[in-house]
Amino acid sequence: MQPNVEISSSVNLVSVNAVLIIAWFGPDTQERHHGVLFNETPPPPKQKMKWEDWELPYYATAIMAVLLLAVGLSAKRDTRIETWARKQALERPVAEEEE
């Protein structure tokens, strides 16, 4: 004996997915917010956060990379075809006048 199985239409699948999404992100389904990022406890008042060992090299490397890219890309030679064509167009009348 075969069970009665109905193939649901795409409209029903969309509505089921919508209900699941609403149920997942609905109220009282997630933990309460504690006001801290990445579940870190904030330092006591009038004290700064202590940096991790990886933070200084990471930020220094990121700043150096940005500076190197900014200087390197601004000093890059102009190799566009339009620049070459403009230079050639300006040189041709001068060369023809000299002959």
Side-chain angles (χ1 to χ4, degrees):
M1 198 166 156
Q2 292 183 343
N4 272 342
V5 176
E6 291 183 26
I7 298 175
S8 62
S9 67
S10 62
V11 174
N12 290 341
L13 289 177
V14 169
S15 63
V16 168
N17 286 339
V19 169
L20 290 175
I21 289 172
I22 291 170
W24 178 260
F25 290 107
D28 298 329
T29 57
Q30 306 294 320
E31 292 182 14
R32 290 231 177 249
H33 297 288
H34 297 62
V36 294
L37 184 62
F38 304 123
N39 208 15
E40 287 184 294
T41 57
K46 297 183 181 178
Q47 286 186 357
K48 293 183 178 180
M49 292 286 290
K50 186 179 177 189
W51 277 26
E52 298 285 335
D53 292 339
W54 58 268
E55 286 182 293
L56 181 62
Y58 178 83
Y59 294 134
T61 304
I63 290 170
M64 286 188 292
V66 167
L67 291 175
L68 183 64
L69 283 171
V71 170
L73 290 176
S74 65
K76 183 180 76 163
R77 291 181 50 197
D78 189 7
T79 58
R80 293 179 301 163
I81 190 73
E82 294 88 0
T83 306
W84 174 82
R86 180 176 292 115
K87 183 179 175 184
Q88 291 295 318
L90 292 174
E91 288 177 359
R92 281 186 184 172
V94 174
E96 289 175 3
E97 289 176 3
E98 290 176 0
E99 291 177 0

